[in-house]
């Protein structure tokens, strides 16, 4: 078995070996390389102490930000290399991080502290694979199994529970029964994690090809991390339009949404307002009036708790609020949506509408899907014809309007937006003379 680390990584391994130290590629890079996936990073573990690593590479730039935990990052011509001294973890605090780490000369001890067997392998050119916990067999069988007993592993670091789900969602692995049991039993630790950490793990999980399946099977774990979503489970949608309850519908929409984090988050949350507004009429039909607005508000509270940056929070909540677009969508409304959302925003909205439609009952989905696909085709046609898909594509800019006497600020932005809407609607040519003439006609004369 031969893996091929990048040249700068191979250089580091070779130099440390010549200095008399052990040095191995470890963790996720080995797992991904064995799976035929391109590793995002190649991490190195070594018997050398941080100061010995620095001494072995005189003249190289280095970051010592992680030196207290044994990590030195070398800045090499071919890229950076993160090198960590073999270590064992001390007692953990807050079910997240060890209070201290102790350096060890043993690679086996270093690997023994890791989360899953498929992440507890090491590789070195010329020495081959070091696999003390049968990670390769689990990799070949596509099984996620904790190193050692699951309960202590998850108790040490509760984030490993979500990492387990993430690996299953991204790689399509089955979770070993004892590991699954341990993760479920330890889910009560998840509320103690920071919202930011939960957000980072779920944002990496949701685009996974098997995300919907994993979240369906492990909904108890997800609801422990995101209790705001628990009311979706069992919230029936008593209507001919639906075949699932709100939770099943949300996961089906997630499965059909393109694997972009912003769209997968929007699909997961798009119906989170329904339990808040549900009503049943005298015929036993469920109604969810204004659930888009209620969902946007609920999603905003959840996303803020998870530490989302404001621009992503706004994009996701806007998609949630407007996902229930009336169909069909004609040319006039497509042009209006182009002006309101811009090209990227519009096509993301239509992608979400399509995912929502595919999650409906069979007959409504069959009837409505061609209308969604027709709207997307019309949007592409209009976009190609207009040649002006945002105010930035106009044949003039803000400086031109300033030269006409417009004031910087809201007045300028409003004028550019109005010009763009007229061009997109086909009422004004995107030519500089025509745009200047229209803008000049709107400009109020200066007071005497």
């Amino acid at each position: 078995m031969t893996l091929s680390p990048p040249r700068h990584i191979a250089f580091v391994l070779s130099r440390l070996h010549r200095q008399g130290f052990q040095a191995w590629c470890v963790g996720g890079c080995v797992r991904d390389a064995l799976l035929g996936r391109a590793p995002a990073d190649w991490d190195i573990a070594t018997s050398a102490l941080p100061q010995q690593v620095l001494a072995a590479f005189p003249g190289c730039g280095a970051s010592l930000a992680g030196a207290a935990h044994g990590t030195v990052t070398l800045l090499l011509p071919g890229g950076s290399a993160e090198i960590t001294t073999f270590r064992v973890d001390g007692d953990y605090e807050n079910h997240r991080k060890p209070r201290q780490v102790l350096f060890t000369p043993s690679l086996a001890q270093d690997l023994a502290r890791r989360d899953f067997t498929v992440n507890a392998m090491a590789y070195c050119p010329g020495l081959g694979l070091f696999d003390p916990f049968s990670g390769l067999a689990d990799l070949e069988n596509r099984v996620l199994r904790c190193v050692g007993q699951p309960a202590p592993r998850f108790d040490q670091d509760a984030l490993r529970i979500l990492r387990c789900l993430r690996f299953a969602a991204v790689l399509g692995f089955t979770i070993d029964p004892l590991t699954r049991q341990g993760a479920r039993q330890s889910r009560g630790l998840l509320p103690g994690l920071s919202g930011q950490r939960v957000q980072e793990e779920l944002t990496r999980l949701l685009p996974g090809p098997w995300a919907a399946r994993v979240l369906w099977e492990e909904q108890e774990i997800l609801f422990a991390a995101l209790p705001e979503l628990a009311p979706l489970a069992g919230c029936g949608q008593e209507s001919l339009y639906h075949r699932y309850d709100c939770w099943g519908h949300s996961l089906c929409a997630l499965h059909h949404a393109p694997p972009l984090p912003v769209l997968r988050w929007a699909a997961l949350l798009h119906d989170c307002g329904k339990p808040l507004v549900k009503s049943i009429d005298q015929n036993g039909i469920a109604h969810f009036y204004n659930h888009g607005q209620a969902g946007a508000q609920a999603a905003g509270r959840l996303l803020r708790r998870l530490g989302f940056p404001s621009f992503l929070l706004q994009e996701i909540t806007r998609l949630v609020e407007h996902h229930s677009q009336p169909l069909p969508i004609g040319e006039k409304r497509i042009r209006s949506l182009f002006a309101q959302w811009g090209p990227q925003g519009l096509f993301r909205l239509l992608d979400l509408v399509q995912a929502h439609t595919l999650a409906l009952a069979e007959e409504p989905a069959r009837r409505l899907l061609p209308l969604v696909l027709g709207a997307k085709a019309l949007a592409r046609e209009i976009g190609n014809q207009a040649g002006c898909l945002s105010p930035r594509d106009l044949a003039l800019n803000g400086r031109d309007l300033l030269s006409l006497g417009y004031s910087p600020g809201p007045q300028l932005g409003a004028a550019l937006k109005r010009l763009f809407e007229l061009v997109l609607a086909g009422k004004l040519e995107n030519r500089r003379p025509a745009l200047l003439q229209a803008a000049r006609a709107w400009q109020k004369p200066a007071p005497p």
Side-chain angles (χ1 to χ4, degrees), residues 1-59:
M1 177 182 302
T2 302
L3 304 182
S4 299
R7 291 181 62 182
H8 69 288
I9 298 296
F11 164 73
V12 171
L13 296 173
S14 176
R15 171 71 66 87
L16 288 171
H17 288 160
R18 290 199 305 271
Q19 296 285 329
F21 301 109
Q22 298 182 61
W24 298 74
C25 297
V26 293
C29 62
V30 178
R31 177 201 68 223
D32 287 344
L34 290 171
L35 287 171
R37 297 160 56 96
D41 301 292
W42 287 82
D43 295 329
I44 295 173
T46 180
S47 59
L49 297 173
Q51 293 304 319
Q52 293 173 319
V53 171
L54 291 175
F57 296 90

Side-chain angles (χ1 to χ4, degrees), residues 297-344:
Q297 293 171 3
R301 291 190 293 270
L302 170 59
L303 298 175
R304 273 188 290 274
R305 180 175 72 79
L306 298 183
F308 270 81
S310 60
F311 75 96
L312 283 178
L313 185 150
Q314 291 169 8
E315 183 176 7
I316 294 169
T317 55
R318 191 183 188 200
L319 288 167
V320 169
E321 181 173 2
H322 296 281
H323 74 272
S324 293
Q325 290 290 316
L327 296 170
I329 305 177
E331 179 178 348
K332 183 177 180 180
R333 199 150 118 257
I334 286 289
R335 292 184 182 276
S336 175
L337 289 170
F338 252 127
Q340 296 170 34
W341 290 73
Q344 177 177 275

Side-chain angles (χ1 to χ4, degrees), residues 228-233 235-237 246-247 249-250 265-279 287-302 317 319-321 323-324:
E228 298 92 335
L229 299 188
L232 290 169
C235 181
Q237 303 191 86
C246 290
W247 179 236
H249 172 82
S250 298
W265 271 109
L268 180 68
L269 301 176
H270 81 281
D271 271 354
C272 68
K274 281 191 170 180
L276 304 174
V277 299
K278 181 179 178 179
S279 63
H287 299 279
F288 303 94
Y289 299 116
N290 298 317
H291 77 276
Q293 293 179 343
Q297 293 171 3
R301 291 190 293 270
L302 170 59
T317 55
L319 288 167
V320 169
E321 181 173 2
H323 74 272
S324 293

Side-chain angles (χ1 to χ4, degrees), residues 44 46 48-50 53 66-72 83-87 101 103:
I44 295 173
T46 180
L49 297 173
V53 171
H69 293 90
T71 299
V72 173
I83 306 165
T84 302
T85 304
F86 298 156
R87 66 193 195 190
V101 297
F103 299 140

